[in-house]
Amino acid sequence: MTTSLAPSETPAPIETGIGTELGTGLGPAAETGIGTTAGPVGETGTEPDAGTPVVLDTSEWVEPAAAAVAEAVVRDAHDFGVYARTGGWAFALKVARSVRPGGQAAEGTEKVSAKAFAELAGCSPERVMRYYKAWDMAADDALVPQFEALAPGQEVELPEADVWLSYYSSRSSATSVRGHAISAAAEAEGIKPTKALEVAENPTALRAAILADPGTAEAARGALLDRMKEDPALQTEMARAIARTGDLKKAVAQEAKAADRIDYVRQIAEGGQIRTPAGQTVDAPAELRAEAERHLSLIDELDDSEEAGEWAGEAYDTVKSLVVRAVEADPALRVQERRTKFYNSLQKATKVFEELTLDEVLEEDVVEEDMLQRLEALQEAIGACISAIRKATTAS
């Protein structure tokens, strides 16, 4: 309300909402030029004439936050609060209550198809369907109402925002069997499924990271090894790829040889048994087992980056020589070792002779004089061997 007062009737200064004192037209009031109908008093520095009325605004100052807020601002603040509490559920509800389930006729419902909803929303039907499927899975878990129970514009209580990512993925691949497997593996590893799906959808980027970064390559190697344990087809493919690559084939052969030698030493150190050159398995002497344990401890202390081949070779040669020495030091074991060795050689010779295909040789007329001479020499050697053994048997 505005009133006109004579100079003699001017009231005491009034405190305003912004801390400005309004008075007789002098002092702070004059500096701002507020409260007079005359020109700017502050500019002349003179008092108004006695006959000139002074105009004062006595209405109270109102803070902007307490004033009326535009409807659009209120609506935006409300929508923001809903999203902050519920995350994607707020938008999934709009889809769930407005899009009719697949196969449902358009008659008798105000709901529209996902394609029509997407056209109205200005986005792709695929995006709409990702929200639709997220709501569908949550409905199967009784977390939200089924589509049939919802009508356009209907409001329902929504789950918490942090539950949303358990049902929704921004990637269409997440809905496939492959995508579900990747998501499950990601959750088992403690990472977000979206990260794993992103990598799976861009194998070229994965290849680049493996080629450029040793850490990524090591992670990929470990993953492949774990995968091959349960994937025979992948085992075959990897073995075939290695066999066809000369350098890899040679490296694998060297590593396999080193592994076999380490296993030989480990069997003695941990199992307490030795395998003799003739193939016998007997208990290892205490000093031999102690030496095997010493070499094995040195190998086990190697870092992953250190080559074990040289250490494995040294351990194997040392232990092998001790095994031979142990066999020779035990008379009974030495006799048995030589008997076993002779018998193994005899078995091999017998098998080779039995595999000779005489019928084919005679039919095709491929016999040469040299072949006959070799057989005659073999016959003489066998005869001499038989005579020597008979003499030894008779003497004993």
Side-chain angles (χ1 to χ4, degrees):
M1 178 178 62
T2 302
T3 58
S4 178
L5 302 175
S8 59
E9 299 174 345
T10 302
I14 301 173
E15 293 289 340
T16 70
I18 57 174
T20 303
E21 296 180 356
L22 300 179
T24 61
L26 301 175
E31 295 176 5
T32 62
I34 300 174
T36 67
T37 57
V41 178
E43 294 179 4
T44 61
T46 59
E47 296 182 9
D49 296 336
T52 303
V54 179
V55 180
L56 293 176
D57 187 356
T58 60
S59 62
E60 296 183 358
W61 176 265
V62 179
E63 291 287 347
V69 181
E71 181 181 352
V73 176
V74 174
R75 185 169 58 252
D76 285 347
H78 176 267
D79 292 344
F80 178 82
V82 171
Y83 184 80
R85 292 188 304 273
T86 64
W89 293 115
F91 298 103
L93 173 61
K94 298 179 185 299
V95 173
R97 69 191 182 189
S98 300
V99 175
R100 62 176 179 265
Q104 180 176 320
E107 294 79 8
T109 177
E110 296 179 347
K111 296 183 179 182
V112 298
S113 66
K115 181 178 180 181
F117 188 88
E119 291 175 354
L120 293 172
C123 66
S124 67
E126 290 77 16
R127 182 180 294 274
V128 173
M129 287 306 299
R130 287 198 287 272
Y131 281 84
Y132 182 96
K133 291 176 181 178
W135 186 278
D136 190 28
M137 288 188 292
D140 289 341
D141 292 342
L143 198 64
V144 294
Q146 295 287 343
F147 295 105
E148 294 78 5
L150 297 173
Q154 182 178 349
E155 297 290 344
V156 298
E157 185 176 352
L158 297 174
E160 296 293 333
D162 56 359
V163 186
W164 171 246
L165 291 178
S166 300
Y167 294 92
Y168 175 81
S169 174
S170 59
R171 302 182 178 276
S172 58
S173 62
T175 60
S176 64
V177 175
R178 174 174 175 265
H180 283 303
I182 294 173
S183 298
E187 291 175 356
E189 294 290 336
I191 63 174
K192 292 182 178 179
T194 51
K195 293 290 185 181
L197 289 167
E198 181 179 359
V199 173
E201 290 178 5
N202 198 342
T204 304
L206 176 61
R207 171 183 168 82
I210 292 174
L211 291 175
D213 178 44
T216 305
E218 176 62 23
R221 181 195 67 82
L224 280 174
L225 290 176
D226 291 341
R227 173 66 183 268
M228 283 193 292
K229 294 176 182 177
E230 301 178 357
D231 191 340
L234 181 59
Q235 291 178 13
T236 303
E237 287 296 326
M238 290 296 293
R240 185 179 294 118
I242 292 172
R244 292 174 178 175
T245 307
D247 292 340
L248 288 178
K249 182 178 179 180
K250 182 178 179 181
V252 169
Q254 291 175 345
E255 289 298 322
K257 182 178 180 180
D260 289 342
R261 290 182 167 184
I262 293 174
D263 287 342
Y264 179 81
V265 176
R266 191 179 301 278
Q267 180 182 1
I268 297 174
E270 297 179 354
Q273 291 185 321
I274 60 174
R275 187 175 180 82
T276 68
Q280 297 185 85
T281 301
V282 297
D283 292 337
E287 59 275 12
L288 175 56
R289 185 172 184 179
E291 186 66 14
E293 290 175 350
R294 185 180 71 82
H295 281 280
L296 186 61
S297 64
L298 293 174
I299 294 174
D300 290 341
E301 289 174 3
L302 294 176
D303 296 333
D304 292 338
S305 59
E306 295 184 88
E307 293 290 340
E310 183 178 352
W311 294 84
E314 180 182 348
Y316 178 81
D317 292 340
T318 301
V319 173
K320 191 75 172 179
S321 63
L322 292 176
V323 169
V324 174
R325 191 182 306 173
V327 171
E328 292 297 325
D330 187 334
L333 181 59
R334 181 175 68 251
V335 171
Q336 183 61 32
E337 178 74 0
R338 293 178 179 177
R339 181 182 294 115
T340 302
K341 184 177 181 181
F342 181 83
Y343 189 74
N344 290 341
S345 299
L346 183 60
Q347 279 187 315
K348 291 178 182 178
T350 303
K351 183 177 180 180
V352 170
F353 189 80
E354 289 174 348
E355 290 177 352
L356 290 177
T357 53
L358 297 178
D359 293 340
E360 294 181 1
V361 172
L362 296 175
E363 289 176 1
E364 298 294 334
D365 193 22
V366 296
V367 178
E368 296 181 353
E369 186 64 26
D370 182 63
M371 295 180 183
L372 185 57
Q373 291 175 359
R374 287 177 178 269
L375 284 172
E376 289 174 346
L378 177 60
Q379 183 181 23
E380 292 178 1
I382 293 175
C385 179
I386 293 174
S387 298
I389 292 177
R390 281 177 176 173
K391 289 179 180 180
T393 305
T394 302
S396 60

